[in-house]
Amino acid sequence: MPEKSVFAPRKAHSDAHAFYSSERLTLRAFVIDWSRCNNERFRFLISDTDDGGNAGVDVEVGEVRDTLAAHHRAIYAAYSYYCALDEKTPHRYAMGKHAFFDFLRQIDVIDEASKYTDVPAFEHLFSAANFEQAARPGDHQQRELNSTNDDEALMRFEFLQALPRIAIAKYVRPKVLGDVSEALEQLITVDMLPRLPPEAKHDSDLFRTRRLYKRDVNSYFTAMAPVLRTVFDFYSMIEPDPMQLDL
């Protein structure tokens, strides 16, 4: 049905080149996100806190990557949900501090009795994850990334890096666990996923299948397409922030 509907252009113009967001597509996004968050500061944090030390940092960083990759779709769903709820950030493509703390409260990791997981500690963690890597001479890609990176909000790759930092604060620094990747798995499977609301774990492809790609929905959008396109074009042209042009 989508091939002959108002949704047909999605197959040609979306990143997936399909009517659904495949695992192949989201993993490709994860590879890009991981390449951005796996910087020298992050690797030093792993070597400084993991029980394998500097000698085992490459192995441990790989295990952290694999843990994040195994849960990347759930992580991305949660990130999108808290970005959408953030009324303090000018746009909904990044997670501001208020939304980040809403996430922390939801998964119940703030503990004012601990210097590792009290509010000041997590404020410092937010800043550390939001730190912009300086662009080397000629590194136009890093310079462009820095220019679009909101100084008061986490981009998706920064949220990805924040999760191991939270795991370290909750489990490794208090010496509950010594292995960072094990602490991360504990954080995701015990603290995060069971406590997130259903909306934060929503699979957008299920919405497309069950609600969007339907005959009556297509008929309505087809009838309203000229009006919706005019509204979209108008607000796209007046939007000063290029990150929001695809509203």
Side-chain angles (χ1 to χ4, degrees):
M1 179 266 189
E3 290 85 353
K4 299 180 180 180
S5 73
V6 72
F7 307 110
R10 188 183 197 277
K11 191 170 185 179
H13 299 299
S14 70
D15 290 334
H17 294 295
F19 295 110
Y20 300 95
S21 298
S22 67
E23 184 84 0
R24 180 180 179 183
L25 173 73
T26 57
L27 277 174
R28 192 173 74 194
F30 173 80
V31 169
I32 295 171
D33 286 340
W34 175 253
S35 70
R36 291 171 173 172
C37 77
N38 183 26
N39 53 39
E40 292 179 9
R41 294 176 71 253
F42 179 67
R43 294 176 66 85
F44 176 79
L45 174 68
I46 301 299
S47 67
D48 187 52
T49 55
D50 185 75
D51 55 9
N54 189 58
V57 64
D58 289 336
V59 172
E60 188 58 30
V61 167
E63 291 176 354
V64 169
R65 177 201 61 213
D66 292 346
T67 302
L68 292 170
H71 299 287
H72 77 279
R73 290 187 76 115
I75 293 169
Y76 285 177
Y79 177 77
S80 297
Y81 173 76
Y82 283 96
C83 287
L85 290 183
D86 191 352
E87 297 180 353
K88 302 293 184 180
T89 303
H91 52 75
R92 303 301 170 91
Y93 292 89
M95 182 188 290
K97 187 179 290 187
H98 285 84
F100 180 66
F101 272 86
D102 285 344
F103 168 75
L104 295 176
R105 294 185 190 96
Q106 184 67 50
I107 66 173
D108 196 25
V109 294
I110 298 176
D111 182 1
E112 290 295 346
S114 170
K115 65 180 180 180
Y116 303 118
T117 54
D118 59 7
V119 168
F122 279 123
E123 287 180 340
H124 177 75
L125 188 152
F126 181 89
S127 298
N130 197 31
F131 180 84
E132 292 182 8
Q133 183 174 331
R136 294 188 174 94
D139 190 347
H140 302 296
Q141 187 176 24
Q142 184 65 47
R143 186 173 292 108
E144 182 179 357
L145 178 63
N146 290 348
S147 69
T148 59
N149 191 346
D150 193 324
D151 293 337
E152 301 297 328
L154 299 178
M155 296 183 74
R156 191 174 63 188
F157 76 90
E158 293 170 329
F159 179 67
L160 203 67
Q161 190 190 101
L163 293 176
R165 290 179 178 274
I166 296 169
I168 289 169
K170 181 172 175 59
Y171 292 109
V172 179
R173 294 199 186 279
K175 303 189 184 305
V176 177
L177 293 170
D179 186 275
V180 173
S181 59
E182 290 180 9
L184 178 61
E185 180 71 19
Q186 180 87 352
L187 176 77
I188 294 172
T189 59
V190 176
D191 299 304
M192 177 177 151
L193 294 180
R195 292 171 179 160
L196 287 176
E199 297 84 359
K201 297 182 282 188
H202 179 67
D203 184 342
S204 58
D205 279 345
L206 287 179
F207 171 78
R208 294 186 177 99
T209 299
R210 297 175 180 177
R211 300 290 183 181
L212 188 62
Y213 295 158
K214 298 295 182 181
R215 192 179 304 276
D216 58 340
V217 176
N218 176 64
S219 297
Y220 181 80
F221 276 132
T222 299
M224 297 298 294
V227 175
L228 294 173
R229 175 52 61 184
T230 300
V231 172
F232 176 85
D233 289 343
F234 175 78
Y235 284 101
S236 294
M237 286 188 294
I238 66 172
E239 177 54 62
D241 186 348
M243 291 182 68
Q244 300 184 54
L245 291 181
D246 59 340
L247 65 90

